[in-house]
Amino acid sequence: MAESMSAQDKLALIYENLHETLKEEIIEDVIVRQNRSLKIYWGTATTGRPHCGYFVPMVKLAHFLRAGCTIKILLADIHGFLDNLKAPLELVKYRAEYYRFVITSLLKSLNVPIDRLEVVLGSSYQLSAEYTMDLFRLCSVVSEHDSKKAGSEVVKQVANPMLSGMIYPLMQTLDEQYLDADVQFGGVDQRKIFTLATESLPKINYKERAHLMNPMVPGLAGGKMSASDPDSKVDLLDPPEVVEKKLKKAHCAPKEVEGNGIIGFVEFVLLSVEALKNGGKGRFVVERRKPEDGEPLVYEDIATLKADYEADKLTPQLLKPAITKALVNLLRPIQEEYQASAEWQDIANKAYPPRESKKKEKKVKDRGTKFPGSKGGVEAKPDGHVEGKAKDQVNLATDAEEAMDNLNIQQKPPHDIEELC
């Protein structure tokens, strides 16, 4: 397909649905003047389980491949560890393998040709002496302030940050050189890291690169969709009943389009995936709740859908079931492949070990050792006497007379009748 496309058609496909581009002249020089394949790198830190938001970059990778680009996917295992220990060191290797299975399955489900795609493990080159020395060189030209600022939208922010969070953006910068990329691709949340890379790589005598940025799709609860926040996303392996439950709870205010994650998912995933599968034209169908309500609503562009939503013609009650149905169908081939692969299932259990459910122990109230019936104290008998290790501490006597003496109770003579009168 790419062979029959003009340079302008390739550029149009590369820029389609992007939020922003930095240094477009680098991209256009490669495609128009040099007339060669554009080399793009996209990286993902192997932390939490990949979610449905991963369809967004996968669709763009499909566009790049159709435009004749060469893609390198970086499974950034060391980055996952550096990001506030989101990926414990003992699980890093397994999580990287899990991501490899997921990303491959995602691309296959979109019918994307992957002959010009290479998957690279970060630790395969980031531990070399040459890379480490370049990292030290980068540390000598980037301030603590600039590195911290660059990672502020990506690295988890805490009150007392570790140095590892400041190494993270430096390594992402250096990866552009070591993956021999013309362009780095990512979400718009990566913009500050991309800016750091543009400014700092020439300082250690490496060329600057271009950067392509996808828009961020809001999560189900509003805000950023995150692999480490289960309430913000639908997992790729969530069964249909879980998908339905999560989408029912999803934030989807009537008539509000801005910041609506449900509508964003239709725009950047469902319509885009359908367009890939159907030769460039997307289609999203919303069934009516009752047959007498009329024909289904059919959308081939997001502008019409947004207009209907703002006009309350399309309501959350209609939209959510339609998305649920479309998403379940989209996830089906991925989940079928997972169920058929014992190796993938084994890696999943090692990468994300199930949490052990701790039974809540019933707290026994400590009433001391001197109450009747205590194991370490005494036990009252029916006739009133007590037995046990501590019986001497509570026993008064063996008979009533002795008890009265011990209690210092003195017997008084009966009162004289005359005194009472």
Side-chain angles (χ1 to χ4, degrees):
M1 179 180 178
E3 292 76 14
S4 61
M5 295 175 70
S6 68
Q8 293 307 315
D9 288 340
K10 290 178 182 178
L11 290 171
L13 189 54
I14 288 169
Y15 296 145
E16 185 177 316
N17 285 342
L18 288 177
H19 183 273
E20 188 179 358
T21 304
L22 299 178
K23 298 289 179 181
E24 290 182 6
E25 61 272 20
I26 294 175
I27 298 171
E28 291 165 10
D29 177 70
V30 170
I31 291 178
V32 178
R33 192 181 67 81
Q34 298 183 41
N35 192 28
R36 66 170 173 84
S37 176
L38 186 71
K39 295 180 286 187
I40 300 176
Y41 124 64
W42 174 75
T44 180
T46 53
T47 54
R49 289 177 180 268
H51 47 76
C52 289
Y54 273 66
F55 276 108
V56 179
M58 293 303 109
V59 168
K60 263 329 289 180
L61 293 181
H63 289 167
F64 298 152
L65 288 166
R66 290 191 174 186
C69 302
T70 301
I71 309 290
K72 284 186 181 177
I73 294 179
L74 173 66
L75 300 179
D77 51 345
I78 293 181
H79 285 81
F81 170 70
L82 292 175
D83 188 1
N84 205 40
L85 304 182
K86 280 185 181 177
L89 202 55
E90 62 273 14
L91 299 180
V92 162
K93 180 178 75 171
Y94 299 123
R95 290 192 177 180
E97 277 302 306
Y98 182 82
Y99 269 64
R100 188 190 299 270
F101 274 110
V102 166
I103 289 170
T104 303
S105 185
L106 271 169
L107 291 170
K108 284 165 62 179
S109 74
L110 299 176
N111 300 323
V112 176
I114 56 175
D115 54 312
R116 291 190 309 278
L117 185 145
E118 180 184 355
V119 179
V120 181
L121 189 64
S123 56
S124 67
Y125 66 88
Q126 290 166 346
L127 300 176
S128 67
E130 184 183 5
Y131 187 94
T132 303
M133 195 63 228
D134 273 343
L135 186 59
F136 291 157
R137 290 171 63 208
L138 208 51
C139 287
S140 71
V141 298
V142 177
S143 69
E144 174 266 346
H145 172 270
D146 288 348
S147 183
K148 189 175 179 180
K149 179 183 176 183
S152 61
E153 298 292 325
V154 178
V155 179
K156 186 176 180 181
Q157 300 299 296
V158 293
N160 189 23
M162 298 291 117
L163 283 174
S164 58
M166 282 172 263
I167 296 173
Y168 185 113
L170 300 183
M171 289 180 64
Q172 187 170 336
T173 293
L174 206 52
D175 290 335
E176 294 182 353
Q177 174 66 25
Y178 278 78
L179 293 173
D180 189 28
D182 300 311
V183 178
Q184 185 179 174
F185 165 62
V188 71
D189 60 332
Q190 308 271 343
R191 193 185 195 285
K192 292 177 183 177
I193 294 181
F194 293 167
T195 302
L196 178 74
T198 302
E199 294 172 351
S200 59
L201 277 181
K203 293 179 182 178
I204 58 172
N205 300 320
Y206 290 138
K207 67 180 183 180
E208 63 181 1
R209 270 72 177 184
H211 298 93
L212 300 170
M213 284 166 273
N214 251 348
M216 298 303 296
V217 178
L220 299 181
K224 182 179 176 181
M225 191 180 292
S226 169
S228 55
D229 180 6
D231 292 330
S232 74
K233 47 106 177 188
V234 173
D235 191 285
L236 292 167
L237 298 179
D238 278 343
E241 61 273 15
V242 174
V243 173
E244 182 180 10
K245 183 179 178 181
K246 286 185 176 181
L247 287 173
K248 276 184 177 179
K249 291 168 60 179
H251 175 73
C252 189
K255 302 181 182 181
E256 290 185 15
V257 171
E258 193 67 31
N260 190 321
I262 296 292
I263 291 179
F265 194 79
V266 175
E267 180 176 5
F268 295 106
V269 177
L270 298 180
L271 281 174
S272 297
V273 168
E274 282 298 308
L276 274 175
K277 292 180 177 180
N278 300 319
K281 195 169 186 179
R283 192 170 185 267
F284 177 64
V285 179
V286 179
E287 299 287 347
R288 302 282 192 174
R289 300 182 78 177
K290 298 176 183 177
E292 56 267 28
D293 291 340
E295 294 292 321
L297 299 171
V298 179
Y299 297 101
E300 295 183 349
D301 63 86
I302 195 63
T304 306
L305 186 145
K306 287 181 177 180
D308 279 0
Y309 195 81
E310 288 177 328
D312 210 27
K313 180 180 178 181
L314 176 63
T315 64
Q317 292 77 14
L318 291 174
L319 183 58
K320 286 185 177 183
I323 290 182
T324 301
K325 181 180 178 181
L327 182 53
V328 167
N329 289 335
L330 193 59
L331 295 177
R332 186 174 291 114
I334 299 167
Q335 294 179 359
E336 287 175 351
E337 186 174 356
Y338 173 78
Q339 293 299 333
S341 174
E343 185 183 1
W344 187 354
Q345 293 173 42
D346 180 56
I347 287 294
N349 288 329
K350 289 176 179 176
Y352 304 97
R355 294 179 180 178
E356 294 183 6
S357 56
K358 293 183 180 180
K359 291 185 178 180
K360 191 175 181 181
E361 295 182 4
K362 188 177 180 181
K363 190 175 181 180
V364 179
K365 187 176 181 181
D366 185 6
R367 293 181 289 177
T369 58
K370 295 186 178 181
F371 76 95
S374 67
K375 292 183 179 179
V378 296
E379 181 182 357
K381 295 298 180 180
D383 61 0
H385 81 283
V386 294
E387 291 182 1
K389 293 179 181 180
K391 68 178 182 178
D392 293 337
Q393 298 177 35
V394 296
N395 245 346
L396 291 175
T398 56
D399 56 42
E401 185 176 346
E402 185 181 351
M404 290 177 68
D405 288 340
N406 289 338
L407 291 171
N408 199 23
I409 299 175
Q410 296 181 351
Q411 280 189 331
K412 293 183 178 181
H415 293 291
D416 190 85
I417 295 176
E418 293 181 356
E419 291 178 1
L420 297 173
C421 293

